Amino acid sequence: QSALTQPASVSGSPGQSITISCTGTSSDVGAYNLVSWYQQHPAKAPRLMIYEVSKRPSGVSDRFSGSKSGNTASLTISGLQAEDEADYYCCSYAGSDTYVFGTGTKGTVL
Amino acid sequence: EVQLVESGGGVVQPGGSLRLSCAASGFTFSSYNMHWVRQAPGQGLVWVSRITSDGSSTSYADSVKGRFTISRDDAKNTLYLQMNSLRAEDTAVYYCAKYYGAGTYCLDYWGRGTLVTVSS
């Protein structure tokens, strides 16, 4: 149950796009199309942004999109806005009714 | 409106025990799997445990297996986490979270968390 690997930080200017990677193994990310992404603002509870690799829950902006290739999933935020500055975590089902989160990425809007 | 409110956190000595509660409202609690996730100060999210909607199946992270027990009381719409043999590394904010729905394997509502500090 090792944490999925994410870059510590990613930054972009308003209006630009950023992509956050999430690398796991053939036992978690690579094995299931069950990757989700969460946004967390300081001292706040996480918020679900993407589930099942690329689906958006109701109320989440279409500026957020997800994809996966092999053992690596990605979250892309397009048209970057100030309120997108937050920490982002990926999460994957890891089999046997267990889950694993990523190490987290600090998203910065320059 | 879905609400999850955790309680029961506090300061406990190494080796001690604590029971966390999560009061749920705004949805049919008995129909959903529920999870606990923790976050050490300044660190990332870590999945801790899950219980099925009917309480018949539980699962745990290796780091807490044998020490923590998840349970639920559907009559009280409450989720619990019994934590025994606590260690310094268990210090974290503990969140309860609701499973989104069948086949999604993600968590759509989270509480605000309760802080557990393990220290002598």
Side-chain angles (χ1 to χ4, degrees):
Chain A
Q1 293 182 345
S2 297
L4 308 176
T5 301
Q6 298 181 231
S9 63
V10 174
S11 62
S13 299
Q16 288 187 332
S17 295
I18 60 173
T19 297
I20 301 170
S21 61
C22 168
T23 301
T25 70
S26 58
S27 297
D28 39 60
V29 174
Y32 310 96
N33 288 323
L34 296 171
V35 176
S36 50
W37 289 89
Y38 301 85
Q39 177 192 64
Q40 187 180 34
H41 287 107
K44 297 291 188 181
R47 177 191 178 193
L48 177 66
M49 305 303 285
I50 295 287
Y51 68 100
E52 291 181 11
V53 175
S54 60
K55 297 179 180 179
R56 276 187 309 274
S58 173
V60 172
S61 171
D62 60 4
R63 296 187 298 105
F64 291 82
S65 62
S67 63
K68 192 189 89 167
S69 177
N71 296 339
T72 298
S74 298
L75 173 72
T76 297
I77 309 173
S78 58
L80 206 57
Q81 298 179 1
E83 60 261 34
D84 298 332
E85 185 158 297
D87 294 328
Y88 292 87
Y89 295 91
C90 60
C91 179
S92 176
Y93 180 66
S96 301
D97 299 320
T98 66
Y99 296 70
V100 59
F101 279 92
T103 51
T105 298
K106 181 176 180 60
T108 301
V109 181
L110 301 172
Chain B
E1 178 193 4
V2 172
Q3 285 199 326
L4 298 169
V5 180
E6 302 91 340
S7 61
V11 180
V12 61
Q13 292 188 338
S17 298
L18 212 55
R19 189 177 83 156
L20 305 183
S21 300
C22 171
S25 61
F27 65 104
T28 306
F29 180 72
S30 60
S31 295
Y32 290 90
N33 295 355
M34 296 293 296
H35 294 244
W36 288 98
V37 177
R38 70 184 182 185
Q39 186 171 34
Q43 303 299 309
L45 300 172
V46 176
W47 178 79
V48 173
S49 182
R50 174 231 69 170
I51 186 168
T52 53
S53 57
D54 63 0
S56 64
S57 175
T58 60
S59 52
Y60 301 90
D62 288 344
S63 58
V64 307
K65 198 175 297 181
R67 300 187 300 122
F68 290 11
T69 302
I70 189 172
S71 62
R72 63 191 299 156
D73 185 336
D74 289 349
K76 296 182 178 179
N77 286 349
T78 301
L79 176 72
Y80 301 101
L81 186 67
Q82 177 67 42
M83 304 185 296
N84 299 331
S85 303
L86 283 162
R87 307 166 180 167
E89 54 264 36
D90 296 319
T91 294
V93 172
Y94 284 75
Y95 297 99
C96 71
K98 171 186 165 290
Y99 184 59
Y100 190 15
T104 60
Y105 290 83
C106 65
L107 308 173
D108 62 344
Y109 285 95
W110 299 59
R112 300 199 69 170
T114 186
L115 177 62
V116 173
T117 302
V118 184
S119 174
S120 54

